[in-house]
Amino acid sequence: MRKILLILQDIGFPKGRRETNMNRTMTLAEAKAYYNEERCFETETGFLVNDFGKYRPNITFVVPKTYDLDKNGKPINPLHYTEDREVTDNMNLDFDGSASFIFGDFWRSKKGGACFRPKSPMQAKHLLIHVGWGGCFNSYRGNYSDDVKGIDGVLYFRRASSNGGGAGCDYWVLPVGYTRVIHDEEIDGSAQSDHTALFEQRAKAYRKKHADLQKKAVEEADAYLKEKAASEEASKSAKERFIPRLTEIQAELAELNKPQKFGNYGVGSLTLDEAYFKLSYDQYLYSEESLAKAEAYLVRMRDWVTGEEAKKQSKADARETFEPKYEELRGQIERIGWELSFGEEGALVKNPAKVRDTYYYRDNGITTYPYDLDGVENLREDVEKEADRIAEEESRARNAERIRNLLTDTDLPEDLWFLFEGSEDLDSTIRKEVEAILAAVTVEKDEMDMHELCNCGYDRRCDAILRVLERVGGGNAKINIGSQSASKALAWFIAG
C-alpha cells in the first residue's frame, strides 16, 4: 500500500487523493473547503457535514469521498438542489415558495439527530425539499411547524427564517412519489381508495427521469474530459513546433504594451504553458488554428496602437499649429471677460456669465473650439459678436443714465420717465417735450379732448395726446406710447 501511495505522489497527486478523468476522491481538508464547513468529519466511507445555522436545514449530511466531475473538472455537488415542478406540484401541498429537492435517504441517528445521505435517484427513498420564500419582491411566506404537524407522511420539517420573519426557507423530507391524500366524505363519499400503486408508479417515473438526467450529465462530462485530455496530449506533442513563432509574437506584444509616445494601450500578453498558451484572457491549445488566432490578435493590436498613435500625433500637430493662432485672440477674449485655456481637443473658452450649477441644470460655461481653421474663425466671430453686444449694452446704459440725470432736474413724475426710455433725442429736445407734457396738464381742453383722452381706444387716445401736446409746443421728441398701458398712463396724466 505504501508503494502505491508513493507512486501516486510521484505522478503529481498528493497522498490520500486519486484523480481520473471521471471522478475525484477528496481529503478531509478539501471537503471542509468544498462545503465551506469546519464541522465536517471523516468516517471510513465518507464525510459527515453538519449543515446547521440560521438559514440551514439543521441536518447532518453523509456524503461520499469520491465524486463524479463536471465539464470543468470540478466535483459535482451531491447537495445540489434540483427544481422539477412535475415532482413538487404533484404533492398536493402548498409550499408557498420556490421548491427544489435532493434524492436520498433520511433517518434519525441514535441520539435523535436528523441525517440525510444523498443517493442516486434509483436507490433513494426520500426527497429533501428546500423551499425559498419571502424578500422584497414576492409574497411567499412559507409554512409553520404547527400547520405541518397535521400532514401525514412528513418525516421532517424546519422553518428557517430571518429575525424579522420576512425572508427564509423551509426544509421538508417526504417519500419519493409522495402525494398528500385529502379525503372529504361530503365530496368523496365514505369509501377511501388505495393510492399505493399510483404513488409507486410516480416514484418509479421520477427516479427513472432524474437518474437518466444525472447519468447523461456525467457521461457528457466524462466524454468531454476525455476529449479534452486527448487534445491536451496532442497539444503538448505539438508545442515545440509552434514555440518559435509564438515567442516572436510574445516579444512583439510586449513591445506594444510598453509606453508609446502618447500613452499606454494595455495590449494583452502571451504566456506559454505546458498544454496551453494564454493570450490576453483566453487560453489556446498549440495548433495551427490557435497560432492563426495569435497572429490575427497581433495584427489587430499593432493596427490599433499604430492608429491611436497616429490620431494623437495628428492632434498634437494640429495643436502646435493652431494654439498660437488662438493665443493671438487672447487679448480680445479677456477684454470681453472670457477666459482662454487649452485642452486635448481644442481651445477652451469659458464665459463666466453662462456658468450654472443648480439641482436641475449644470453648465460650466466652456465652449471647445477645435484645433483647425474653422475653430479659429468661429471663435473670432463669437468674440466680435460679444464685443458688439457689450458695446451696445454699454451705449444703452450710458444713454439711460443721461436720460435719468436729465429727467431728475424736471418736475415730470418718475413713473412717466419710461416715456423717454432709449430716446436718442438731444437733451434740449427732451427737456422741451417734458415742459410741453407738464403744460398740457393745465392747458384748456375741450370736451372732445377729454373724451378721447379718458374714454376712447388706443388710436383716438394717441391722437388726442399728440393734439394737446402740439397745442403747447410739444410733439418734437419721440415718446414711448406704443402700448395701451403707456398711452393710457400719459393720457390720464394730461387729463389731470
Side-chain angles (χ1 to χ4, degrees):
M1 181 65 179
R2 176 175 171 80
K3 182 177 180 181
I4 293 173
L5 292 175
L6 288 173
I7 292 172
L8 290 173
Q9 286 178 314
D10 288 342
I11 63 175
F13 296 128
K15 183 177 180 180
R17 169 174 159 184
R18 294 181 54 216
E19 296 194 16
T20 71
N21 287 338
M22 293 183 293
N23 54 58
R24 169 177 167 180
T25 300
M26 285 191 187
T27 65
L28 176 59
E30 290 171 331
K32 286 183 177 182
Y34 184 74
Y35 291 106
N36 193 27
E37 179 57 72
E38 280 298 317
R39 293 168 297 179
C40 180
F41 304 94
E42 185 175 12
T43 69
E44 287 188 4
T45 59
F47 299 111
L48 303 179
V49 180
N50 293 312
D51 198 4
F52 289 75
K54 188 172 186 178
Y55 294 106
R56 312 311 302 166
N58 285 3
I59 289 176
T60 297
F61 288 99
V62 181
V63 296
K65 293 184 178 182
T66 302
Y67 295 79
D68 291 319
L69 303 181
D70 62 18
K71 290 184 177 181
N72 296 315
K74 304 293 184 181
I76 297 175
N77 190 351
L79 302 185
H80 171 73
Y81 290 88
T82 299
E83 184 176 348
D84 185 349
R85 297 192 60 173
E86 180 188 5
V87 175
T88 52
D89 284 2
N90 274 324
M91 289 183 171
N92 201 25
L93 292 170
D94 181 10
F95 290 117
D96 199 25
S98 178
S100 54
F101 53 83
I102 302 172
F103 283 91
D105 288 351
F106 173 82
W107 73 96
R108 292 281 181 177
S109 69
K110 292 179 180 179
K111 294 182 179 180
C115 301
F116 192 87
R117 184 193 298 271
K119 279 190 172 182
S120 163
M122 296 303 293
Q123 301 170 344
K125 298 176 183 178
H126 305 121
L127 293 176
L128 170 59
I129 301 172
H130 169 276
V131 180
W133 51 263
C136 300
F137 303 106
N138 67 63
S139 58
Y140 296 139
R141 288 298 179 266
N143 284 270
Y144 292 87
S145 298
D146 290 342
D147 299 326
V148 176
K149 284 180 182 178
I151 301 176
D152 292 336
V154 179
L155 302 177
Y156 178 83
F157 177 81
R158 167 171 160 75
R159 176 183 176 87
S161 68
S162 62
N163 293 337
C169 46
D170 295 345
Y171 294 93
W172 303 63
V173 176
L174 297 165
V176 178
Y178 174 89
T179 295
R180 181 186 183 187
V181 177
I182 301 175
H183 181 82
D184 188 319
E185 288 191 6
E186 181 180 353
I187 298 172
D188 304 313
S190 58
Q192 297 188 25
S193 302
D194 184 0
H195 301 284
T196 304
L198 173 61
F199 297 163
E200 289 179 352
Q201 181 182 356
R202 285 182 178 173
K204 182 179 179 180
Y206 297 158
R207 290 188 177 103
K208 178 70 166 57
K209 175 182 178 180
H210 284 272
D212 289 346
L213 289 172
Q214 290 183 10
K215 180 182 178 182
K216 181 180 179 182
V218 171
E219 289 177 346
E220 288 179 350
D222 183 41
Y224 174 82
L225 291 174
K226 287 179 178 178
E227 182 180 346
K228 180 183 178 185
S231 299
E232 288 174 347
E233 286 302 318
S235 177
K236 292 176 185 177
S237 300
K239 177 180 177 180
E240 291 304 319
R241 183 156 54 93
F242 297 102
I243 287 296
R245 179 54 187 143
L246 288 174
T247 303
E248 293 175 358
I249 294 173
Q250 183 183 50
E252 291 188 59
L253 290 174
E255 284 298 317
L256 290 174
N257 202 32
K258 290 179 180 179
Q260 306 295 312
K261 180 178 179 181
F262 293 101
N264 297 330
Y265 294 93
V267 174
S269 61
L270 189 151
T271 55
L272 304 171
D273 295 322
E274 186 178 2
Y276 296 90
F277 68 87
K278 187 175 181 181
L279 181 61
S280 189
Y281 297 103
D282 301 315
Q283 67 176 16
Y284 300 91
L285 296 165
Y286 293 101
S287 67
E288 292 290 350
E289 181 181 359
S290 299
L291 177 60
K293 290 181 179 178
E295 296 275 14
Y297 181 79
L298 173 61
V299 170
R300 287 199 308 274
M301 292 301 99
R302 187 190 297 124
D303 290 347
W304 175 54
V305 171
T306 302
E308 289 299 307
E309 285 287 292
K311 289 178 187 176
K312 292 177 180 179
Q313 182 65 60
S314 178
K315 287 183 179 179
D317 293 341
R319 180 170 182 171
E320 185 178 359
T321 300
F322 289 97
E323 190 170 310
K325 297 183 182 300
Y326 282 113
E327 279 290 353
E328 293 174 3
L329 299 174
R330 182 179 289 276
Q332 300 176 51
I333 292 170
E334 293 179 349
R335 275 196 295 275
I336 61 175
W338 291 0
E339 301 168 9
L340 175 65
S341 60
F342 297 99
E344 290 294 322
E345 303 298 325
L348 307 177
V349 179
K350 181 176 180 179
N351 180 356
K354 288 186 176 182
V355 175
R356 298 287 185 275
D357 190 1
T358 68
Y359 182 81
Y360 298 101
Y361 180 70
R362 178 172 293 177
D363 187 346
N364 60 12
I366 294 176
T367 301
T368 301
Y369 294 86
Y371 293 119
D372 56 32
L373 284 174
D374 287 342
V376 174
E377 289 305 312
N378 289 338
L379 176 57
R380 194 189 309 277
E381 291 177 6
D382 290 345
V383 169
E384 290 176 355
K385 288 178 182 177
E386 180 66 7
D388 290 345
R389 185 195 67 78
I390 291 173
E392 185 176 348
E393 190 174 275
E394 290 175 347
S395 178
R396 286 197 299 269
R398 285 194 300 271
N399 191 50
E401 182 66 20
R402 174 184 72 93
I403 293 171
R404 279 195 301 273
N405 293 335
L406 178 62
L407 297 177
T408 299
D409 294 334
T410 70
D411 294 328
L412 183 69
E414 190 172 347
D415 58 359
L416 291 180
W417 286 7
F418 70 85
L419 293 171
F420 299 96
E421 185 177 348
S423 175
E424 296 181 358
D425 289 329
L426 296 173
D427 289 3
S428 58
T429 303
I430 293 174
R431 190 176 291 109
K432 185 176 180 181
E433 195 70 24
V434 169
E435 292 171 356
I437 292 172
L438 295 173
V441 176
T442 57
V443 72
E444 184 178 349
K445 294 178 278 291
D446 58 26
E447 183 180 0
M448 180 62 69
D449 292 333
M450 295 299 294
H451 173 70
E452 290 184 342
L453 287 171
C454 298
N455 302 313
C456 290
Y458 175 76
D459 290 339
R460 292 183 65 181
R461 184 188 310 128
C462 289
D463 288 343
I465 290 171
L466 295 176
R467 183 170 65 248
V468 173
L469 288 176
E470 288 176 358
R471 193 179 302 161
V472 293
N476 299 305
K478 183 178 181 181
I479 56 176
N480 296 321
I481 54 173
S483 66
Q484 289 279 2
S485 60
S487 62
K488 188 176 291 186
L490 180 57
W492 289 359
F493 178 73
I494 292 175

